[in-house]
Amino acid sequence: MDEDSEALEEIIVVGYGTEVKREMTGSVTINVAQALQGKVAGVEVTQNSAEPGSNTAVVVRGVSSMSNNNNPLYVVDGEIASNNPMEELQPEDIDGIQMLKALNAVSIYGTRASNGVVIITTKKGLETNPEAIEKFNDEISDQIDLKSWNPDTPYIKILEKEPNADLAYSKYLEIRDEYSNSPSFYLDVSDFFERKEKSAIAIRILTNLIEIELSNHELMKALGYKLEYFNQYDLAVIVYKKVLELRPEEPQSYKDLALVYEQLGEIQKAYDLLFKLYNGDLLEKDEDERFNGIEQIAYVELSRLVNKYGDKLKLKNEEIDKFKALNTDIRIVIDWNHNDTDIDLWVVDPKDEKAYYSNQETKIGGHMSEDMTEGYGPEEYMLKDAITGEYKILVDYFADDVQKISGPTVLKITMFTNYGKPNEERKTTVVRLDKEKDELKVGSLKF
C-alpha cells in the first residue's frame, strides 16, 4: 500500500513474531510501536530526546498522533479500555492490532474517538473472551476498509461479460482501483485469466499483490502457493521471506521457504531451514502442541536433500549418516494457508483402501503422517513400494474458524513419484476450499 495515501481507512497489523530487544530504553509504548514499525506501512516513532523516559509520540498515517496530549480511543478484546494498554502490553501479548481513522471511528463511537481508535486483540483474550471479540468485529465490519472475501465476487462477473481475454484484461485495469480494497481480488482475477489459459497475464496480476506488501501472512501464503504452481520460484522466495518475517514462530514458515530455495538451487539454505524444524528448535516453544509431527516431515525432506544434493552441502559425517536414502515410490503432501483450520488428507489406493488419520498404515504399505488439527498442515502420505494403478487424493475440509479477510482457504497439493530417486517427478496443484465438504477429490496420480 502507498503509505502516503490519505484514502487508507484502516490497517491490520499481525502481532505474532514481533521482537523486542532487551536493551531498549524508554516505555513499553515505544516497545510496541517499534515492533510494529517496519512491519506495516505508515508507522513512525518519534521521541523528543534520546533520554530514557522522554516524551514519545507514535504516529500512524491516517490516524491522529498518539501521544499523551492527543490520545486515541483504545478497544482491547472488544471492550473500551479506561487507560492506555500500550503501557502494560508487550508485543508478544498481542495477536493483532487494527487502527481506525477518525472519520470511521467517530461514526461508531462519537467525538470521544475523534483521534481515531486503536483496536487490540490479545492472545489471552482470544482464549477467554472470544464472544465479545466476535461481537465487536461484527459491529465494525461495515467500517473495515479491507473487505472480507465474498465467494460471489462481483468483479469476476464483470470480467466474464467481456468477449475475449484481451478486453477482459483492459476491463481489469479499469476496475482495479475500485476493488483493490479486497486483498483476494488479485488472486481471484489471476485465477480467472488462468482459466482462460492466459498464464502470463495471471502471473502479471499476482505480482501486483507482491507490490502491495500486505502484512497478512495467510494471504501471502496463498500467493506463494500460486507462484509455486506457476514455477515462479524467484518471486515465491520474496513472498515466503515476508511470511517468515511475519510468523517466525511457526514451523511452516521455514518449510515453505526452504522448499522454494531448493527449486532455485540454494540447497544449503534449504537444508539449514529444514534442520531447524528437525532439531526441534521451534517445537520447544509450541506449548499447545499444534505442530506435533512436523519434525518427522522435516526429516523426510532433509533425507532427500542430503542424498540428492550431498555434494552441494557442507555437512559433518554424523549429519550425513543421520539422513538415510528413502527411495520412496509415492509421496503426497498437502499444506493450507489458514490458521486454526483442520483439513484431513485421504488417499485411496488401487485396492480401494483409504489411508487417513484413523488408518495410518495400509495393507500395501502406505503410511499417513500425524493428523494436523490446527495450523496449516502439512499432512503427508508415503508409499515405499507402490503397486500399479490410480491413487485418488481427497481431503475432508473439516473445520475453519477463520474470518475470511484474506480470502478462501487455499490448499496446495504436492505429488511425487519416485521420491528421492534420479527419475523423481513432481507436480504441484492449488485448490480453493470455499466451504466445509466431505470427500472432496483434489487430484490423483497413476503409478
Side-chain angles (χ1 to χ4, degrees):
M1 291 183 181
D2 181 356
E3 65 183 28
D4 291 321
S5 174
E6 291 300 323
L8 182 62
E9 296 294 334
E10 187 254 13
I11 57 178
I12 297 177
V13 182
V14 176
Y16 283 120
T18 52
E19 180 179 346
V20 179
K21 295 182 178 179
R22 294 304 172 192
E23 67 270 23
M24 186 182 295
T25 60
S27 66
V28 175
T29 303
I30 195 169
N31 286 353
V32 174
Q34 288 189 339
L36 297 178
Q37 183 164 271
K39 294 185 179 297
V40 66
V43 175
E44 297 178 351
V45 179
T46 60
Q47 195 164 3
N48 290 342
S49 74
E51 295 298 322
S54 61
N55 186 39
T56 299
V58 182
V59 178
V60 179
R61 291 176 185 167
V63 182
S64 296
S65 175
M66 302 178 205
S67 68
N68 291 334
N69 298 323
N70 196 12
N71 290 325
L73 182 70
Y74 290 95
V75 177
V76 180
D77 296 331
E79 299 180 356
I80 297 174
S82 58
N83 56 3
N84 183 352
M86 294 284 195
E87 297 174 354
E88 301 173 358
L89 289 172
Q90 293 289 342
E92 58 266 25
D93 300 329
I94 298 173
D95 180 78
I97 295 180
Q98 297 172 253
M99 301 179 186
L100 290 181
K101 254 175 74 170
L103 181 63
N104 282 339
V106 170
S107 68
I108 303 173
Y109 292 105
T111 56
R112 59 180 171 169
S114 57
N115 292 322
V117 176
V118 177
I119 304 162
I120 302 172
T121 303
T122 67
K123 296 176 184 178
K124 182 178 179 180
L126 287 174
E127 296 178 0
T128 61
N129 203 17
E131 295 84 3
I133 295 173
E134 182 178 0
K135 180 180 178 182
F136 174 78
N137 286 338
D138 289 341
E139 290 175 351
I140 68 166
S141 61
D142 290 339
Q143 303 294 334
I144 293 179
D145 195 44
L146 292 178
K147 301 299 182 183
S148 297
W149 180 75
N150 177 5
D152 189 23
T153 48
Y155 40 82
I156 297 300
K157 293 181 178 179
I158 293 173
L159 298 180
E160 286 174 341
K161 293 179 181 179
E162 299 300 321
N164 58 57
D166 290 338
L167 290 175
Y169 182 69
S170 297
K171 179 60 70 173
Y172 153 73
L173 295 175
E174 180 182 327
I175 66 174
R176 179 172 54 184
D177 290 343
E178 180 180 355
Y179 289 103
S180 60
N181 63 341
S182 174
S184 60
F185 167 74
Y186 296 99
L187 288 174
D188 294 333
V189 175
S190 175
D191 286 349
F192 169 83
F193 284 103
E194 182 194 345
R195 292 193 298 270
K196 298 290 185 182
E197 300 182 350
K198 297 292 184 180
S199 295
I201 294 177
I203 294 168
R204 189 186 313 159
I205 291 168
L206 286 175
T207 61
N208 291 333
L209 191 51
I210 296 176
E211 294 169 1
I212 291 176
E213 296 183 359
L214 288 171
S215 295
N216 186 319
H217 71 285
E218 293 173 331
L219 180 62
M220 292 292 102
K221 276 180 174 283
L223 173 58
Y225 296 166
K226 290 297 294 183
L227 291 170
E228 284 190 72
Y229 170 77
F230 284 118
N231 299 322
Q232 300 294 308
Y233 300 114
D234 53 340
L235 296 176
V237 161
I238 297 171
V239 172
Y240 287 136
K241 281 183 176 179
K242 179 66 174 179
V243 173
L244 180 56
E245 177 188 333
L246 293 169
R247 296 299 242 222
E249 78 283 8
E250 294 178 342
Q252 292 87 348
S253 303
Y254 298 81
K255 173 181 174 292
D256 291 338
L257 180 56
L259 298 184
V260 173
Y261 271 141
E262 184 216 334
Q263 296 300 317
L264 292 174
E266 301 276 3
I267 309 303
Q268 189 68 52
K269 289 182 179 179
Y271 176 90
D272 292 343
L273 287 170
L274 288 171
F275 194 82
K276 284 180 177 288
L277 308 187
Y278 167 75
N279 204 35
D281 293 349
L282 296 176
L283 293 179
E284 293 177 1
K285 304 174 184 178
D286 184 24
E287 296 179 357
D288 296 329
E289 299 184 345
R290 297 171 59 226
F291 308 121
N292 277 354
I294 199 167
E295 67 276 16
Q296 285 88 1
I297 290 177
Y299 174 82
V300 170
E301 290 163 342
L302 282 166
S303 296
R304 174 177 168 275
L305 286 182
V306 170
N307 289 278
K308 189 172 183 178
Y309 306 104
D311 58 334
K312 298 182 179 181
L313 292 168
K314 296 179 181 179
L315 302 176
K316 299 177 182 178
N317 288 334
E318 55 265 30
E319 290 179 285
I320 297 174
D321 294 339
K322 189 178 296 182
F323 300 109
K324 304 298 183 182
L326 298 173
N327 296 324
T328 299
D329 284 346
I330 292 176
R331 183 174 186 247
I332 300 165
V333 185
I334 62 169
D335 303 86
W336 53 92
N337 69 317
H338 275 157
N339 194 8
D340 299 324
T341 299
D342 185 3
I343 300 177
D344 294 331
L345 171 63
W346 299 348
V347 178
V348 181
D349 64 32
K351 290 188 175 293
D352 208 33
E353 183 178 6
K354 181 172 69 176
Y356 67 118
Y357 63 88
S358 293
N359 184 35
Q360 292 182 290
E361 306 291 338
T362 66
K363 293 177 181 177
I364 67 170
H367 173 75
M368 186 67 67
S369 65
E370 293 291 326
D371 182 23
M372 293 282 191
T373 59
E374 295 181 270
Y376 318 87
E379 292 197 6
E380 167 195 75
Y381 170 84
M382 293 185 69
L383 178 59
K384 184 175 178 59
D385 298 308
I387 63 174
T388 302
E390 181 183 16
Y391 294 78
K392 300 174 185 176
I393 306 167
L394 305 95
V395 297
D396 179 8
Y397 185 20
F398 181 72
D400 187 346
D401 298 325
V402 179
Q403 184 184 4
K404 295 299 194 306
I405 292 294
S406 59
T409 298
V410 176
L411 180 73
K412 181 179 72 171
I413 307 104
T414 309
M415 298 166 278
F416 296 91
T417 55
N418 301 307
Y419 183 73
K421 302 177 184 180
N423 59 338
E424 175 185 285
E425 293 186 5
R426 172 180 178 271
K427 181 181 179 181
T428 299
T429 187
V430 177
V431 176
R432 290 186 175 221
L433 303 175
D434 297 341
K435 58 183 178 181
E436 293 185 14
K437 186 175 182 180
D438 292 338
E439 297 192 38
L440 175 66
K441 186 175 179 180
V442 294
S444 67
L445 62 82
K446 292 184 179 180
F447 189 87

